[in-house]
């Protein structure tokens, strides 16, 4: 029996219809494919196109540039709904939205008019390239170098980007590259199309989870990117990258809450029918307290990411709360998915139930877009800055 | 540019099969649920109208007869891309049978036609709740229009509509002049999902409400009391009994086969 839908607070009738549409597509088009696609590491490109045609690949961007014009409060709840059915798809929508941010937030009006409508239109998929093999948490130490060739007016880019979601299948890449000296001030942002000569993807990594989502290194081997594709000014790239991550982290937080919700629902269902010692295991306090803690963590996580989202929608600073939401929600999801495996016992450890997969997927969310240690670093910095 | 031709799609608001259900009254089989939606089978008719419109020169209106909540069926069709909606709603309509419904719809079609012409009427092959499949025929009869039912393919050329109807033994190709009443099957197309842009656009599309008075119908002609076939009693289906459990002690397969044979499944 399907569990009742999550009770949502949404601002208007249109956003309720949007969430309804998301649920309908998730139920009818995504749910039947998850197990097969995850087992065979197959990316649901056609289903992403359907989400695109439905307007889900540009939700939080302005309508006049092809976006949906909705706030993060609504966009994130769409992500959460998707994640409760297929985390790979939710993460994919979130990463695509992240990849569009540099142009949407920092491009010139001409650049935005030229490229953004296609990027938000639903047919294209974007990737966000910050990490490198030798710089993950210390992203400002990145080494990929871009040198302007005055003759052609192109940047010539050399280096390797690492762990890139959509690597090899993306249509455009938001690249953070070094155009100046060491440190954050030497970094710039380029928007490179997938067919950039000299840009290529390594074979996808073999991962613990998110198997249907390709993660790959991107090699830049004398890649030529027109200087017209510099987003923002030279040296502004790191600021752009961090601003993008503030929003991206909220996407990851919403993914985590959706994943945890799915795990809770499965655990509650199982605990209600599995009998031991002559009664459903849910009737044992040891199990029901575990379920109660899981449900409480989920509600708290949802409330926290929505509080951060509402700050963002009101145009207020939200970076600290976004880091808190990412930290709290993904740690919570890891705990909830671990406990869900526990509630299902031996069955939970087998691939006959999806909870072991959710458990593996939750782990990634504690690492991506800044590890949870880095989130604490970010929160700590905000605290010292506030003290002055 | 020539005036667009007008197609009217008749749709029904039905209970969500996944929702909680109860009977509306003791003397009616009308099912009440907390949630209802556009009948799935009518989505094919809406989709067919929308693809006609995309081929150029057609304007799509959807009409439904039903209580206030039935507006949701119209809204869904508008979100999918229909241009306008007509909601026929009146207290006195509660409990109206198929004959009464077809009379009301026929009056609505006449009014729609008087106001701007009607070149084609599209319906689903049945409603997903009552499932009688009689409305298209009754409507065609009342309007004196040709009826072409169960189309699994449809094309319009000039003033002719051509459909394909598949049966177990034959495939028929049928032509009719327009206007005509056409019902479509669930094989005819793959209904689209609305898009978020469609959801936003639907807000601004016109929905007209018509009462029985607007259609010149007396309340006494419709409703429960005017039903030709009154429902005398409604009772819930008794809960299902305990199933048969076969314990597999090595002979489980044989026992299972015997059970299936006894129940005439094999
Ligand atoms: C599935 C997946 C998808 C990804 N997608 C993308 C993508 O699309 N784009 C992209 O740019 N990157 C992506 N990444 C990379 C991801 O952002 C990095 O893995 C992450 O930032 C951590 O960097 P690292 O792996 O180099 O770990 P390291 O930085 O080497 O960290 C190793 C450990 O040390 C800890 N640590 C490091 N510094 C500190 C410190 N100062 N204080 C305390 N602890 C510290 C970390 O928390 C971690 O536990 C992805 C990663 C994964 C797993």
């Amino acid at each position: 029996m399907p569990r009742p839908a999550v009770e949502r607070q949404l601002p208007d009738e249109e956003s309720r219809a949007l969430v309804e549409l998301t649920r309908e597509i998730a139920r009818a088009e995504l749910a039947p494919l998850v197990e097969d696609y995850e087992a065979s590491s197959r990316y649901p490109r056609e289903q992403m196109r359907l989400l695109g045609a439905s307007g889900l690949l540009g939700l939080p961007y302005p309508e006049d540039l092809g976006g949906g014009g909705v706030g993060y409060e609504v966009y994130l709840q769409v992500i959460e709904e998707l994640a409760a059915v297929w985390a790979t798809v939710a993460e994919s929508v979130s990463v695509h939205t992240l990849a569009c941010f540099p142009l949407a937030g920092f491009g010139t009006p001409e650049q935005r008019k030229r490229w953004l409508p296609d990027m938000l239109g639903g047919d294209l998929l974007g990737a966000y390239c910050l990490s490198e093999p030798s710089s993950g948490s210390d992203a400002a130490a990145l080494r990929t170098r871009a040198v302007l060739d005055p003759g052609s007016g192109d940047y010539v880019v050399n280096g390797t980007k690492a762990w890139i979601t959509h690597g090899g299948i993306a249509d455009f890449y938001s690249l953070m590259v070094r155009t100046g000296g060491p440190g954050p001030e030497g970094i710039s942002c380029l928007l490179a199309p997938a067919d950039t000569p000299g840009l290529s993807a390594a074979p996808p990594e073999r991962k613990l989870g998110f198997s249907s989502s390709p993660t790959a290194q991107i090699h830049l081997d004398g890649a030529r990117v027109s200087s017209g594709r510099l987003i923002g000014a030279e040296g502004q790239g790191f600021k752009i990258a961090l601003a993008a991550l503030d929003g991206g982290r909220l996407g990851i937080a919403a993914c985590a809450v959706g994943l945890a919700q799915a795990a809770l629902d499965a655990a509650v269902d199982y605990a209600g029918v599995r009998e031991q010692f002559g009664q459903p295991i849910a009737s044992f306090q040891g199990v029901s307290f575990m379920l109660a803690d899981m449900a409480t963590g989920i509600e708290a996580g949802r409330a926290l990411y929505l509080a951060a989202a509402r700050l963002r929608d009101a145009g207020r600073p939200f970076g600290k709360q976004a880091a808190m939401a990412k930290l709290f929600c993904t740690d919570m999801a890891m705990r909830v998915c671990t406990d869900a495996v526990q509630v299902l016992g031996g069955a939970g450890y087998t691939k006959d139930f999806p909870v072991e997969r959710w458990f593996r997927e939750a782990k990634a969310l504690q690492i991506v877009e800044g590890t949870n240690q880095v989130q604490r670093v970010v929160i700590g910095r905000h605290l010292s800055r506030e003290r002055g | 540019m020539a005036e667009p031709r007008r197609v009217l799609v008749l749709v029904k608001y039905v209970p969500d099969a996944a929702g909680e259900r109860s009977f509306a009254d003791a003397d009616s089989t009308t099912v009440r649920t907390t949630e209802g939606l556009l009948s799935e089978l009518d989505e094919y008719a809406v989709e067919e109208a929308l693809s006609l419109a995309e081929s150029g020169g057609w304007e799509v209106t959807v009409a439904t007869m039903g209580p206030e909540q039935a507006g949701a069926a119209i809204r869904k069709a508008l979100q999918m891309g229909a241009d306008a909606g007509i909601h026929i709603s009146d207290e006195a309509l509660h409990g109206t049978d198929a004959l009464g419904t077809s009379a009301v719809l026929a009056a609505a079609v006449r009014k729609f036609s008087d106001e701007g012409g009607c070149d084609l009427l599209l319906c689903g092959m049945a409603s997903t709740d009552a499932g009688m499949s009689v409305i298209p025929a009754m409507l065609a009869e009342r309007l004196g229009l040709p009826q072409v039912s169960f189309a699994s393919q449809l094309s319009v050329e000039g003033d002719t509509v051509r459909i394909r109807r598949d049966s177990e033994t034959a495939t028929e190709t049928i032509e009719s002049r327009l206007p005509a009443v056409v019902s479509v099957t669930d094989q005819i197309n793959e209904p689209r999902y609305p898009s978020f842009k469609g959801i936003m656009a639907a807000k601004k599309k016109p929905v007209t409400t018509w009462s029985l008075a607007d259609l010149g119908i007396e309340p006494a002609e419709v409703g429960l009391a005017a039903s030709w076939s009154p429902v005398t009693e409604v009772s819930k289906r008794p809960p299902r009994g305990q199933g048969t459990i076969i314990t597999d002690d090595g002979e489980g397969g044989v026992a299972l086969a015997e059970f299936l044979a006894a129940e005439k499944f094999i």
Side-chain angles (χ1 to χ4, degrees):
Chain A
M1 198 187 69
R3 303 199 47 74
V6 170
E7 195 63 53
R8 299 207 172 277
Q9 282 192 318
L10 290 157
D12 49 34
E13 171 143 359
E14 286 67 45
S15 48
R16 279 190 288 280
L18 171 64
V19 167
E20 241 350 281
L21 171 66
T22 306
R23 284 177 180 158
E24 197 184 334
I25 293 179
R27 185 176 55 232
E29 309 289 339
L30 302 181
L33 306 180
V34 185
E35 296 304 332
D36 255 13
Y37 276 48
E38 287 293 337
S40 56
S41 300
R42 182 166 166 201
Y43 181 73
R45 189 66 186 94
E46 279 319 301
Q47 288 63 37
M48 289 300 290
R49 273 189 223 288
L50 171 63
L51 294 189
S54 307
L56 267 58
L57 291 188
L59 282 176
Y61 294 111
E63 274 180 282
D64 59 347
L65 291 167
V70 308
Y72 261 55
E73 176 189 14
V74 173
Y75 157 67
L76 292 177
Q77 299 197 66
V78 168
I79 293 281
E80 191 200 315
E81 289 285 343
L82 291 172
V85 175
W86 197 346
T88 285
V89 168
E91 192 225 17
S92 193
V93 174
S94 179
V95 167
H96 169 79
T97 305
L98 170 73
C100 294
F101 182 86
L103 175 61
F106 293 86
T108 64
E110 292 71 37
Q111 287 178 319
R112 289 199 286 177
K113 227 175 289 157
R114 177 138 178 231
W115 296 308
L116 206 48
D118 281 344
M119 286 160 58
L120 302 178
D123 272 339
L124 302 188
L125 209 53
Y128 171 92
C129 307
L130 178 63
S131 308
E132 296 186 0
S134 58
S135 61
S137 299
D138 187 10
L142 68 85
R143 294 184 193 164
T144 295
R145 185 147 265 301
V147 178
L148 190 60
D149 167 19
S152 61
D154 291 341
Y155 283 101
V156 180
V157 190
N158 282 291
T160 299
K161 292 290 170 185
W163 303 294
I164 302 307
T165 300
H166 299 160
I169 61 164
D171 300 290
F172 60 90
Y173 293 83
S174 286
L175 294 175
M176 308 313 147
V177 297
R178 188 165 300 285
T179 50
E185 295 80 22
I187 296 172
S188 301
C189 176
L190 297 175
L191 177 62
D195 60 3
T196 297
L199 185 155
S200 64
E205 306 287 351
R206 294 163 305 136
K207 305 196 298 295
L208 178 65
F210 280 98
S211 309
S212 62
S213 161
T215 310
Q217 287 194 346
I218 295 298
H219 297 303
L220 299 148
D221 188 7
R224 289 189 161 265
V225 182
S226 147
S227 58
R229 288 181 164 273
L230 173 71
I231 305 298
E234 273 203 12
Q236 218 187 354
F238 199 65
K239 186 181 145 195
I240 295 174
L242 292 192
L245 284 178
D246 282 342
R249 283 168 184 159
L250 288 178
I252 300 301
C255 276
V257 173
L259 194 60
Q261 183 72 52
L264 171 68
D265 290 350
V268 170
D269 283 349
Y270 188 86
V273 295
R274 170 71 175 174
E275 293 193 3
Q276 288 295 285
F277 303 99
Q279 44 189 310
I281 58 170
S283 67
F284 301 121
Q285 197 180 65
V287 173
S288 77
F289 274 22
M290 207 169 356
L291 296 173
D293 286 344
M294 291 157 77
T296 305
I298 290 167
E299 286 291 337
R302 186 177 293 127
L304 183 54
Y305 88 62
L306 284 173
R310 287 174 183 135
L311 281 176
R312 186 186 199 280
D313 292 340
R316 308 254 291 280
F318 69 101
K320 179 177 73 175
Q321 288 81 357
M324 289 171 168
K326 197 274 180 182
L327 166 64
F328 181 87
C329 293
T330 61
D331 278 356
M332 177 278 290
M334 190 71 249
R335 203 167 50 243
V336 165
C337 291
T338 306
D339 286 349
V341 174
Q342 194 71 15
V343 169
L344 268 74
Y349 202 68
T350 69
K351 289 191 191 289
D352 295 336
F353 290 83
V355 288
E356 61 81 30
R357 176 165 56 77
W358 294 330
F359 166 85
R360 290 183 282 110
E361 289 167 349
K363 189 68 223 171
L365 300 179
Q366 293 180 302
I367 297 170
V368 298
E369 301 201 19
T371 65
N372 283 1
Q373 287 71 35
V374 165
Q375 304 306 320
R376 290 180 174 90
V377 170
V378 171
I379 297 163
R381 275 197 202 128
H382 274 283
L383 294 176
S384 351
R385 220 177 298 147
E386 285 163 12
R387 195 159 31 83
Chain B
M1 211 183 89
E3 286 278 299
R5 299 213 267 179
R6 304 216 299 167
V7 48
L8 184 63
V9 190
L10 299 169
V11 303
K12 190 174 180 187
Y13 174 79
V14 299
D16 184 349
E20 289 264 320
R21 281 192 262 189
S22 62
F23 291 114
D25 319 287
D27 56 359
S28 147
T29 47
T30 305
V31 174
R32 286 273 159 84
T33 58
T34 38
E35 295 269 320
L37 38 74
L38 170 62
S39 171
E40 216 175 282
L41 289 172
D42 291 341
E43 287 187 10
Y44 297 92
V46 173
E47 176 62 40
E48 205 52 29
L50 294 177
S51 46
L52 261 186
E54 279 163 358
S55 71
W58 287 83
E59 188 180 283
V60 180
T61 305
V62 287
T64 195
M65 178 186 119
E68 197 182 327
Q69 312 89 277
I74 295 184
R75 209 173 313 119
K76 173 77 181 276
L78 295 179
Q79 290 170 353
M80 288 170 73
D83 300 294
I86 297 170
H87 189 171
I88 305 143
S89 190
D90 202 297
E91 283 291 312
L93 283 169
H94 172 63
T96 303
D97 64 1
L99 277 169
T101 301
S102 65
V104 174
L105 291 178
V109 172
R110 279 190 210 101
K111 186 170 164 67
F112 176 75
S113 188
D114 287 347
E115 290 180 358
C118 179
D119 303 280
L120 175 63
L121 282 157
L122 283 178
C123 310
M125 63 192 262
S127 58
T128 53
D129 54 349
M132 292 202 290
S133 294
V134 293
I135 293 291
M138 288 179 169
L139 195 60
E141 189 62 26
R142 287 187 188 278
L143 294 166
L145 292 178
Q147 184 222 163
V148 206
S149 57
F150 298 105
S152 61
Q153 237 175 42
L154 178 154
S155 60
V156 173
E157 225 165 281
D159 283 326
T160 305
V161 59
R162 175 183 303 161
I163 70 131
R164 197 179 80 189
R165 176 160 52 199
D166 297 318
S167 71
E168 273 179 27
T169 50
T171 293
E172 301 167 87
T173 302
I174 303 164
E175 279 187 5
S176 158
R177 66 178 162 76
L178 291 176
V181 180
V182 178
S183 73
V184 305
T185 72
D186 56 359
Q187 301 302 308
I188 196 164
N189 56 40
E190 193 61 51
R192 70 194 65 190
Y193 288 100
S195 69
F196 185 55
K197 286 201 172 63
I199 289 172
M200 296 302 284
K203 269 204 300 198
K204 303 184 194 98
K205 292 178 178 171
V207 178
T208 317
T209 305
W210 287 344
S211 65
L212 285 177
D214 292 328
L215 298 177
I217 295 175
E218 289 299 324
E221 295 172 43
V222 296
L224 263 185
S227 253
W228 279 40
S229 52
V231 175
T232 50
E233 197 190 299
V234 179
S235 57
K236 280 196 180 175
R237 193 179 12 191
R240 255 189 279 181
Q242 172 86 51
T244 308
I245 295 173
I246 296 169
T247 316
D248 185 13
D249 45 13
E251 296 295 309
V254 178
L256 189 60
E258 277 169 2
F259 168 79
L260 291 173
E263 298 286 324
K264 301 215 176 354
F265 286 121
I266 52 174

